[in-house]
Amino acid sequence: MRLFARFVSAGYLFYLALLAPLIVHQARAVANWWTPFAILAVFVPPLVMGIVSFVRRTLWVRRAAAVTALSFLVAAVAWPLAWNGTLLQEEWWIARIPGLAGLAAAITWRQKWTVIQLGAAVLTVQLINHYGREPNYKGPLIPDLAFAMGFSLLYVAAALMAMRTGRILDQTQASAYTAAASAAATKARTVQRSRFNALLHDWVMSTLLAAARQPHNDDVRRQAQLTLAKLDELGESDDATYDTATLLSHLRTAVGAVDHGVPVETHVATNGADTARYPTEAVQVIGEAVAEAVRNSVLHAGNDAQPRVTVTVGAYRIHAVVADTGRGFDLDAVAPHRLGLAASILGRIRQLPGGTVSVQTRPGAGTTIRMAWADQP
């Protein structure tokens, strides 16, 4: 959308330079107010559209494109009010660019309304050409109208197809991100089941076997008490939980699995973090995202990037920062198919209830990724 908006905006600039002498020459055939009004209405909105295409939110691009398409019609419809009856030999300048307005409409509107806008624009300017030119220099209205519509529709239809393809790509990309985040949640549940299976094997079954051999032994009773305590701990909620020490150990392990040389600095708040419990899904998702961030840093930030990880744990909150002093990158220039950042980090954390994530980077200034989870009331 942004690239196409810039293309259409550049087309308007080109035609403004090309038509400038003709605009000045034809100003004698209309009231003094119409030519400045038409220039502002026809050429300013697309220039604004090109400028706002560099803004992150595409909403402004769509709004500017809609104004571009509509303001062209307003300028054309206002022509009869300003025409002083002077007939010209050459084609009116506004009749040469209805297709550009149609291209602007294709950026923001669906096929039906784009074709309606193009048809209205072509019909209006061809009527201007038909009634505003000398009889010997104008052609039949219907053939001229059909040719202008067919010629403009060729490019507008291509633009509509390009925008439709872009929307399909966006939807496919969003589905891929959702699937990646869902896979992370599934993996967390798999870890939970593995923990439960390990508890059954390591404690329940061993306790039962020991009881079968020595039913009245004090060691068996102590082992049974420990097993019951662990079962009670697991049953406190539907999900398995981590204490603070296990959480930090898990995050260190996740980082070490990628690169043992990356330092991990940990901080534990004093406001109840020592007794808090953290859900497995949150710990696993944060751990996977931290590991992916470290992996990206090691692979792409450069040999002198010096990645580091800082983890701060509070009562029912986890905050992890992965930062490096590497080459950085342009966040807007990351290709849509690169799922490492978009899906494995951003999408994964954003799908986590209570999860937040942000990325700060620019070329040559390193990269800092902040990931956090907080228990939602």
Side-chain angles (χ1 to χ4, degrees), residues 15 34 289 296 320 337:
Y15 271 100
W34 185 83
N296 286 346
H337 64 276

Side-chain angles (χ1 to χ4, degrees), residues 62 109 129 131 195-196 245 254 268 285 324 332 354:
R62 293 195 296 268
W109 294 335
N129 259 349
Y131 291 103
R195 184 183 179 190
F196 183 74
V268 179
V285 170
D324 63 53
D332 293 330

Side-chain angles (χ1 to χ4, degrees), residues 251 254-255 285-295 309 320-322 371:
L251 294 182
V255 174
V285 170
I286 293 289
E288 292 292 338
V290 167
E292 182 64 24
V294 172
R295 185 178 296 109
V309 178
V321 179
V322 180
M371 295 160 276

Side-chain angles (χ1 to χ4, degrees), residues 104-123:
I107 294 175
T108 186
W109 294 335
R110 300 287 181 169
Q111 291 91 334
K112 174 184 175 181
W113 296 108
T114 298
V115 173
I116 290 176
Q117 187 278 340
L118 178 64
V122 170
L123 175 62

Side-chain angles (χ1 to χ4, degrees), residues 42-262:
V42 173
F43 293 102
V44 172
L47 299 184
V48 174
M49 179 177 65
I51 294 172
V52 299
S53 69
F54 293 94
V55 178
R56 188 170 182 82
R57 293 186 63 193
T58 57
L59 174 63
W60 296 108
V61 178
R62 293 195 296 268
R63 288 177 175 174
V67 173
T68 299
L70 293 174
S71 61
F72 180 89
L73 283 173
V74 172
V77 170
W79 178 87
L81 303 176
W83 183 44
N84 59 22
T86 302
L87 298 176
L88 305 177
Q89 295 180 357
E90 69 276 1
E91 185 179 28
W92 281 82
W93 67 266
I94 197 171
R96 300 191 178 189
I97 54 174
L100 283 177
L103 291 176
I107 294 175
T108 186
W109 294 335
R110 300 287 181 169
Q111 291 91 334
K112 174 184 175 181
W113 296 108
T114 298
V115 173
I116 290 176
Q117 187 278 340
L118 178 64
V122 170
L123 175 62
T124 305
V125 297
Q126 286 304 315
L127 288 174
I128 292 174
N129 259 349
H130 185 75
Y131 291 103
R133 297 174 67 185
E134 295 181 5
N136 294 334
Y137 291 90
K138 64 182 178 182
L141 176 61
I142 299 303
D144 284 351
L145 181 62
F147 175 80
M149 185 64 183
F151 182 80
S152 300
L153 187 60
L154 179 67
Y155 298 97
V156 173
L160 286 170
M161 183 58 66
M163 297 305 298
R164 178 179 179 273
T165 303
R167 283 191 292 269
I168 293 175
L169 177 61
D170 286 345
Q171 294 169 359
T172 304
Q173 176 179 305
S175 298
Y177 293 166
T178 302
S182 177
T186 301
K187 184 174 182 180
R189 288 191 293 270
T190 301
V191 171
Q192 177 186 341
R193 286 193 293 269
S194 298
R195 184 183 179 190
F196 183 74
N197 292 337
L199 176 61
L200 288 177
H201 177 272
D202 297 342
W203 291 94
V204 176
M205 292 179 64
S206 62
T207 301
L208 292 175
L209 289 173
R213 292 192 299 267
Q214 309 175 62
H216 301 295
N217 188 286
D218 290 339
D219 292 335
V220 174
R221 283 192 288 271
R222 282 194 296 269
Q223 183 173 343
Q225 290 173 350
L226 288 173
T227 302
L228 290 173
K230 289 184 175 295
L231 287 173
D232 288 340
E233 179 182 323
L234 188 63
E236 288 177 359
S237 65
D238 293 335
D239 296 326
T241 58
Y242 284 71
D243 58 22
T244 301
T246 308
L247 181 156
L248 295 176
S249 176
H250 175 81
L251 294 182
R252 290 193 191 96
T253 301
V255 174
V258 177
D259 191 328
H260 288 289
V262 176

